[in-house]
Amino acid sequence: AQSVTQLGSHVSVSEGALVLLRCNYSSSVPPYLFWYVQYPNQGLQLLLKYTTGATLVKGINGFEAEFKKSETSFHLTKPSAHMSDAAEYFCAVRSLGSSNTGKLIFGQGTTLQVKP
Amino acid sequence: DAGVIQSPRHEVTEMGQEVTLRCKPISGHDYLFWYRQTMMRGLELLIYFNNNVPIDDSGMPEDRFSAKMPNASFSTLKIQPSEPRDSAVYFCASTYTGGPGNTIYFGEGSWLTVV
């Protein structure tokens, strides 16, 4: 079975500082990995995804993530935090496997606070 | 494209009442998902459909919950009777599985409060 663990339910950074949100996954087959962002009172918006190919993936709003198979990780980073980055971030794995279900399994989410 | 459209956006109802949430997926998408989000349990997959057929409803909490997809452009999630613990945000999402890396698109959610 696939699963996702996000380390740290709350992360606080200062504006301009590095953002690092951690995500580890468990999957018995090659995973497809996603980061979604949820702004207050809104739905989920895709930030970036890893399917195949280059392991460093760039997304919207200056975010990027690196797939590391050996570490089963897909951490999200941004070099310089902006106040508008304050939101909840979800890591998710989508693994078709033999059943070809295509469903997303989400982590518990990390709330990012950006301090001025 | 208008994206995944959900209605109502907000609903407040009394315990015991029937609640129906509606979803219009993105045109051409063949998978539709219903998720529930709560502070305690995070994002939970309730049920999903492929080509209008329910594939996995193991996440549906109990018999009070039911979901239907009568056609490719419409789905409902019904709670009858509703209880205060059903208060949550319910998200509908859809995707086209021409490839496993295809993005799953989410609606804006239906905020349900049962009092």
Side-chain angles (χ1 to χ4, degrees):
Chain A
Q2 294 81 40
S3 66
V4 175
T5 302
Q6 291 183 239
L7 300 176
S9 58
H10 288 83
V11 171
S12 181
V13 301
S14 297
E15 190 174 20
L18 171 71
V19 175
L20 171 60
L21 305 182
R22 299 178 187 274
C23 172
N24 288 89
Y25 69 90
S26 171
S27 176
S28 58
V29 296
Y32 298 89
L33 297 159
F34 301 77
W35 275 100
Y36 282 83
V37 61
Q38 184 180 26
Y39 298 103
N41 300 317
Q42 294 187 26
L44 280 75
Q45 178 183 2
L46 181 71
L47 266 181
L48 50 79
K49 63 181 178 182
Y50 169 78
T51 55
T52 58
T55 56
L56 181 62
V57 180
K58 295 186 184 299
I60 61 172
N61 302 337
F63 284 93
E64 61 183 36
E66 185 171 11
F67 169 60
K68 292 187 177 180
K69 183 178 179 180
S70 62
E71 298 177 8
T72 60
S73 69
F74 191 56
H75 301 330
L76 182 70
T77 60
K78 182 174 180 177
S80 176
H82 192 272
M83 296 297 291
S84 61
D85 295 327
E88 189 158 17
Y89 292 79
F90 293 93
C91 182
V93 62
R94 186 176 180 209
S95 183
L96 297 186
S98 58
S99 63
N100 200 33
T101 59
K103 61 185 180 183
L104 276 175
I105 306 298
F106 284 94
Q108 285 298 304
T110 298
T111 300
L112 176 65
Q113 179 187 23
V114 182
K115 298 177 292 185
Chain B
D1 200 312
V4 177
I5 299 172
Q6 293 186 244
S7 65
R9 287 296 315 278
H10 299 273
E11 177 147 351
V12 180
T13 190
E14 291 185 347
M15 182 174 62
Q17 296 298 306
E18 177 179 293
V19 174
T20 300
L21 308 178
R22 298 173 177 80
C23 176
K24 176 179 169 54
I26 293 173
S27 177
H29 283 188
D30 56 350
Y31 271 78
L32 183 140
F33 307 83
W34 282 101
Y35 281 87
R36 178 172 68 176
Q37 184 179 35
T38 60
M39 290 291 289
M40 292 297 294
R41 302 173 69 90
L43 276 160
E44 304 173 276
L45 178 64
L46 300 178
I47 185 171
Y48 71 97
F49 297 82
N50 178 215
N51 291 322
N52 314 336
V53 177
I55 301 301
D56 183 354
D57 65 353
S58 60
M60 296 287 262
E62 49 197 276
D63 292 345
R64 297 185 298 105
F65 285 70
S66 62
K68 294 182 180 180
M69 192 166 185
N71 57 62
S73 59
F74 184 66
S75 176
T76 60
L77 178 66
K78 187 173 294 186
I79 308 172
Q80 167 62 21
S82 58
E83 296 182 3
R85 60 190 168 126
D86 301 331
S87 298
V89 185
Y90 292 83
F91 287 105
C92 178
S94 71
T95 190
Y96 170 64
T97 51
N102 282 3
T103 299
I104 295 179
Y105 294 89
F106 284 77
E108 292 290 299
S110 291
W111 266 251
L112 174 65
T113 302
V114 183
V115 297

